[in-house]
Amino acid sequence: MSRLVHLLANPYSSTTIQRRASQCISYFLGGEDDAADAAIDAGLLPALLALIEAKDQDVCRVALYDASGIAAGSQSQVHAFLDCGLLKPVVRIPMNHHSPTRWQREACRTVANLSREALGDEKVGQAFMEGDGVASLSAALLIPDQKTKELAVLGITNLLEGQDSEGSQNRGSLLAAIRNSSGPQNLRAIRYSRETEDHKLREDCLNVLEFDL
C-alpha cells in the first residue's frame, strides 16, 4: 500500500501511473477497514488533496473516487478526511459550473457519503455546516447529469432522515441550511421539470419535499 501511495503522491510520476495507482488503491478501499487505515497511515489523504487541487482531469476524477471511499468509511477515517482539509476543495466542485461532469459526480458522491454522519457526529455536522456541504448538495441538484442529481437527493435525504436521531445537535442548523441554499426550490425544479424522465428520481424528490422543509 505504501508503494502505491508513494507513486500517487510523487510529483514526478506520470498521470498514467498516478491514475493506475489510484485505481489500485480504490480496489483496496472497497474492502476491509484495515486497508483504508493502512492507506491513510501511508499518506493517502494529503496525496489526494494535492491531486484534486492540481486539477488534472483524469487524475482528479479517480482521486475524487478514492476520497469518496474514505468518506464512506469508519468514524476515524471520516475524521481523518476532515482533518486533512479535503472537504473544502471537494464541496466547491459541484458549486462550480465549469467543473467537468465526472468531477461533479464523484465530488457529490463524497459529500453524500459524509452526509450520513452529519447529524450523529458533532464534528462531521460542524464541518458540514462550516464547509458548505449543504450548499454543495443543493447546487448539485441543478447539474444536468442524472447520477449527480440522484446522489444529491440521497445526500439531502440522509440529512432529513437523521433529523430525529437521538443526540442530533446539528439538526436545526442543517435544516435551515437546506432551506437557505434553495434546496426545496431545486428539488421542485427536478420534480416538475419535463426534462426529468426518470420516475424514481421524481418520486425521491417528492418524498424529500414531504419532510418539514
Side-chain angles (χ1 to χ4, degrees), residues 26-209:
S26 297
Y27 174 80
F28 289 109
L29 293 180
E32 300 294 327
D33 281 345
D34 288 349
D37 289 337
I40 291 172
D41 291 343
L44 174 63
L45 297 179
L48 294 179
L49 178 61
L51 293 175
I52 291 169
E53 292 182 335
K55 295 182 171 58
D56 176 274
Q57 186 155 337
D58 288 335
V59 175
C60 183
R61 179 182 61 83
V62 291
L64 285 166
Y65 187 81
D66 286 347
S68 72
I70 298 296
S74 66
Q75 183 183 61
S76 63
Q77 292 164 11
V78 171
H79 286 186
F81 175 100
L82 297 175
D83 292 341
C84 186
L86 269 166
L87 182 61
K88 186 175 182 179
V90 169
V91 297
R92 286 178 174 175
I93 291 173
M95 301 169 72
N96 181 354
H97 299 305
H98 300 293
S99 296
T101 299
R102 293 185 299 175
W103 293 12
Q104 292 174 326
R105 185 186 307 142
E106 296 307 330
C108 189
R109 189 191 311 277
T110 302
V111 180
N113 286 342
L114 288 172
S115 70
R116 296 184 302 180
E117 307 297 331
L119 285 169
D121 187 310
E122 184 176 358
K123 179 172 182 173
V124 179
Q126 183 177 358
F128 219 78
M129 288 296 302
E130 296 177 353
D132 289 329
V134 176
S136 182
L137 290 174
S138 294
L141 292 169
L142 299 180
I143 293 172
D145 179 62
Q146 178 169 314
K147 184 59 179 179
T148 303
K149 292 180 188 290
E150 292 172 357
L151 289 166
V153 172
L154 174 63
I156 293 174
T157 301
N158 288 339
L159 297 176
L160 294 171
E161 287 184 341
Q163 66 178 315
D164 294 324
S165 300
E166 185 176 343
S168 297
Q169 301 178 17
N170 301 296
R171 175 169 55 241
S173 298
L174 286 167
L175 289 174
I178 293 172
R179 299 186 189 106
N180 294 338
S181 62
S182 301
Q185 295 95 313
N186 295 347
L187 287 163
R188 292 188 187 97
I190 298 174
R191 174 70 177 85
Y192 298 108
S193 172
R194 293 179 179 178
E195 296 180 0
T196 306
E197 298 179 353
D198 186 87
H199 179 72
K200 184 178 184 303
L201 179 58
R202 286 178 178 270
E203 290 302 309
D204 288 345
C205 290
L206 180 61
N207 291 337
V208 174
L209 289 166

